[in-house]
Amino acid sequence: MKIILLGYMGSGKSTVAKALQDTFKINALDLDDYIIEKEGISISEIFAAKGEIYFRKQENKYLIELLESENSFILALGGGTPCYANNLDFIKNEAKSFYLKAKIGTLFHRLRQENSSRPLISELNDEKLKEFIAKHLFERAPFYEQANHIISIDEKSVEAIASEISALV
């Protein structure tokens, strides 16, 4: 069994993956963490030293590596992963996918509290952050919405989201 969680940053993919790990008794993985482990440097260091094109190629390589493995897992993707290479087609063929869909206000509230730990948004003021989220969601939604299931996460607990996903697996 392979379960993929996709959605915008701050939608709770990694947190929900960990909650599902207990339910299904399979490992929860975070693609960004997997890339960091394989590359030996942080995502922001990869972007700074080698650029986004290199990162997206490695992201695709490691996603395929995981999906082609015999292992069962729950995988939290990076926010941009479904939007590049043939990642979405590969995900659709190899796993059951869930889009953790959040409103702009929910994402803004969450990301505003943790923007210092996220290089893409660390320098943005509130107005710019809201604009950034809205623009990215507009661009990425057509990819996200191709997931097998869309789970609205606004005003729901991690446990409620995990339960909803469990019922659909």
Side-chain angles (χ1 to χ4, degrees), residues 41 43-58:
I41 57 174
I43 301 296
S44 53
E45 289 171 321
I46 294 170
F47 268 78
K50 299 179 180 182
E52 184 175 5
I53 292 171
Y54 174 85
F55 171 77
R56 295 298 176 192
K57 284 181 179 178
Q58 295 310 99

Side-chain angles (χ1 to χ4, degrees), residues 2-8 11-21 24 28-31 63 67 73-79 81-82 91 95-101 144 147 149 151 153 158 161-162 165-166 169:
K2 291 178 174 73
I3 298 169
I4 303 288
L5 303 180
L6 54 99
Y8 198 70
S11 63
K13 299 177 299 285
S14 297
T15 304
V16 172
K18 288 177 187 146
L20 288 169
Q21 177 175 262
F24 292 108
L29 306 169
D30 183 289
L31 184 58
L63 174 65
L67 288 172
F73 54 76
I74 300 135
L75 180 63
L77 299 182
T81 308
I91 290 163
K96 190 169 263 202
S97 57
F98 295 85
Y99 169 25
L100 303 186
K101 185 176 184 174
Y144 294 161
H149 301 281
I151 308 293
I153 60 126
V158 171
I161 297 164
I165 291 170
S166 298
V169 171

Side-chain angles (χ1 to χ4, degrees), residues 9 34 55 59 61 63 86 94 121 127 138 144 166:
M9 72 174 128
Y34 189 80
F55 171 77
E59 178 182 57
K61 171 183 148 185
L63 174 65
N86 61 345
E94 301 294 330
I121 60 170
E127 186 179 321
F138 179 78
Y144 294 161
S166 298

Side-chain angles (χ1 to χ4, degrees), residues 9 47 56 115 118-124 132 136 140:
M9 72 174 128
F47 268 78
R56 295 298 176 192
N115 70 344
R118 295 185 182 265
L120 276 178
I121 60 170
S122 61
E123 303 297 318
L124 302 178
F132 182 87
H136 269 119
R140 293 177 175 184

